[in-house]
Every structure is written in structure tokens, then in C-alpha cells.
Amino acid sequence: MDIRYSASPNDVKRYTTEELRKEFLITDLYEPDTVKATYSHVDRMVIMGIMPVHEVVPIDKGIDVWHNFGTNFFLERREAGIFNLGGPGTIECDGTVFELGYEDCLYIAMGTKSVSFSSKDSANPARFYLASTPAHRACKTTFLSFADANKRPLGSEASSNKRVINQFIHPEVLDTCQLSMGLTQLAPGSVWNSMPCHTHERRMEVYTYFELPDDNVVMHFMGQPTQTRDIVMQNFDAVISPSWSIHCGCGTTNYTFIWAMGGENQAFDDMDNLRPNELR
């Protein structure tokens, strides 16, 4: 498991490109029959990439749960949200099997002891993207298809940010402890996400970008509003955004991304908005 500690904004403003990438960028999330995990000490968010090909892969494969979490099993005091970004797959939770197609989502409640992942076709394996936050109460494990998401159209073609925010793990859709997740789709010809941008001091966020064609990138912008930095990101990369940082991006083409939030509240519109000309 890759451990990332919290970084001070005063230190980040002096980071080199490589230091910035090492601190916040998560790459190479998907390896066959492997759990790739990153533990961020920013609100203790855990990000996993799980790609079962020939095996049924348990959620804790290769992870020393007691050493890293001080619990008997991974979700003893955590909840998790999972999107499938690959071929058809299944997730078994304490004996109940859920089938996930492309861009389907599963919320798994705190206290779920056994979680395992498999693919229907090894030639077209599932890619399970997981985000997990600490939890203090058990909610209900729930499958969410793309049709179940709450859809919020935003932006315009004129500002190159026409998009639809699909809220899956969100108070308007289902009850969770603190985790919120959704999927934002940019329309053809639109390249900006989360612009005008914002910060939310009460929550951190992780983005993962996908549906990004080969040889294209997203320029992800982060940092304090007057100390902005960029990280060049490729398909399936993820990036950690502390609460003090802006988080927006501009691609060389349109793309899709998943956002995951954890922190003090779940109020989607609880943010400190910034005008583009306020950035430096």
C-alpha cells in the first residue's frame, strides 16, 4: 500500500514537478489480479484499483489490514464506493453478488466483512475503481446503475465546459455516512471541468480521469488560488486534492472523471467559489 501524508500549502508552493507528482498523483492503478491501494492521510481516504482477470480478487489482497488500519477487516470502520470502468464484472459482499456493467456503481456499507471481485471475460476484464472513507455508522449496501444517478447539467459550449454531473453516492440518491461520489461527463468540444473553480475547506476530494484517448492528456490544476500548479494526467490516473486546493482541469479533448469526497459534511454546494481572474 502506498502511503501519502498530508502536505502543507506553504511547502507545496516550493515543490518541483516531480515532487508535486509524487505527493498527489496516483498512477498505474490497474494490474491483473492485483489490488493497487493508496492511503491518503488527507481525511484518510483510500483509493484502490482492482482488475481481476484470471482470479477472484479479495479486497484486502496484499494488504496488511491490521498494520495499516488497526482493524480486523478493511470495512470494519469504513464505507466504500466502487465504479466499474471496464468490462462486465461481479462483486460479492458477504455472500450477496452484484453484477456491474460499465459505469455502474456499488456502495458498500461499513461492517461488510468479505468483499471479492471477478470479471465475466478475461479478455475484457472489469476495472474496479474504489474510494473509501472512515465511517461511524452502517448504512445499506446499494447497487446504482447509471440510470439511478441524479443528473445535473452545467456549463455551456461557449465556455468549453458543457457537462453533466451524475451524482451516485450522494444525499439526494442514498444515505451514507460521509462518502460522496459521482461521475462527470464532458460533452464533445468541451474540455474544462470545475471551471469556474472552487475550494471546499470542509472536504477533500480525489479525481480520476478516464475515457481519455491515447496521446491525450488532462492538465489538472491544483494549489492555493494564488499559487496554482499543474499536473499532467493520463487515462485512468487519479489525483488527491486537499481541502485548501483548487481542483479543475483542461483536456486536449473531452473526457470523463469520477469525483470522490470525504470530510465534515456532504453538502454538494458547500464551496468557496472563485472567479477565473482571481487565480494566479
Side-chain angles (χ1 to χ4, degrees):
M1 178 178 288
D2 186 14
I3 307 294
R4 308 288 180 93
Y5 292 96
S6 301
S8 164
N10 290 326
D11 293 335
V12 171
K13 68 178 66 175
R14 294 187 290 269
Y15 279 8
T16 65
T17 297
E18 288 307 313
E19 287 173 325
L20 198 70
R21 292 173 67 87
K22 184 177 180 180
E23 191 72 35
F24 299 105
L25 182 65
I26 303 171
T27 63
D28 302 319
L29 267 170
Y30 303 100
E31 293 184 2
D33 300 318
T34 302
V35 176
K36 297 293 294 291
T38 298
Y39 186 126
S40 172
H41 278 256
V42 182
D43 283 302
R44 299 194 178 276
M45 178 84 79
V46 174
I47 297 297
M48 290 182 177
I50 305 161
M51 189 171 71
V53 178
H54 302 292
E55 301 177 10
V56 176
V57 179
I59 195 170
D60 57 355
K61 182 177 181 179
I63 297 173
D64 186 338
V65 173
W66 178 257
H67 175 76
N68 286 289
F69 304 103
T71 55
N72 295 304
F73 54 95
F74 178 64
L75 293 176
E76 182 176 348
R77 295 181 59 85
R78 286 183 161 271
E79 58 188 348
I82 302 165
F83 279 88
N84 182 11
L85 306 183
T90 61
I91 304 175
E92 183 173 344
C93 302
D94 285 346
T96 301
V97 177
F98 299 90
E99 296 191 2
L100 275 71
Y102 186 66
E103 294 183 342
D104 285 342
C105 176
L106 182 66
Y107 168 77
I108 307 180
M110 182 191 81
T112 306
K113 291 183 177 181
S114 174
V115 182
S116 60
F117 304 83
S118 59
S119 294
K120 291 291 188 69
D121 181 2
S122 61
N124 182 28
R127 291 176 184 258
F128 293 110
Y129 175 77
L130 179 149
S132 172
T133 52
H136 60 267
R137 64 185 176 94
C139 298
K140 181 182 178 181
T141 297
T142 304
F143 168 81
L144 297 161
S145 71
F146 193 83
D148 296 322
N150 183 44
K151 294 171 172 53
R152 293 184 54 168
L154 287 177
S156 68
E157 292 181 357
S159 54
S160 302
N161 68 349
K162 185 178 180 180
R163 62 199 189 276
V164 177
I165 299 176
N166 300 277
Q167 297 169 333
F168 284 78
I169 300 174
H170 186 274
E172 293 185 20
V173 181
L174 81 158
D175 182 42
T176 68
C177 186
Q178 70 152 316
L179 180 65
S180 295
M181 290 182 77
L183 183 152
T184 299
Q185 299 167 305
L186 274 70
S190 287
V191 293
W192 279 102
N193 77 70
S194 308
M195 180 61 75
C197 66
H198 59 267
T199 60
H200 29 70
E201 188 64 31
R202 294 149 292 278
R203 296 189 306 281
M204 66 86 71
E205 194 159 4
V206 176
Y207 280 7
T208 188
Y209 292 99
F210 66 106
E211 293 186 339
L212 188 63
D214 292 342
D215 300 324
N216 283 264
V217 298
V218 171
M219 307 295 295
H220 180 86
F221 296 98
M222 65 160 297
Q224 293 172 292
T226 57
Q227 288 285 341
T228 59
R229 303 290 187 270
D230 66 88
I231 298 177
V232 181
M233 298 184 61
Q234 298 182 3
N235 200 32
F236 294 124
D237 284 351
V239 62
I240 299 165
S241 178
S243 60
W244 48 262
S245 175
I246 66 166
H247 38 280
C248 63
C250 185
T252 54
T253 185
N254 64 309
Y255 50 89
T256 303
F257 68 98
I258 291 170
W259 42 270
M261 290 188 286
E264 295 289 349
N265 65 32
Q266 294 179 301
F268 184 78
D269 294 317
D270 179 12
M271 56 187 69
D272 302 311
N273 293 300
L274 296 154
R275 298 188 302 272
N277 59 8
E278 294 182 275
L279 300 175
R280 298 289 184 269

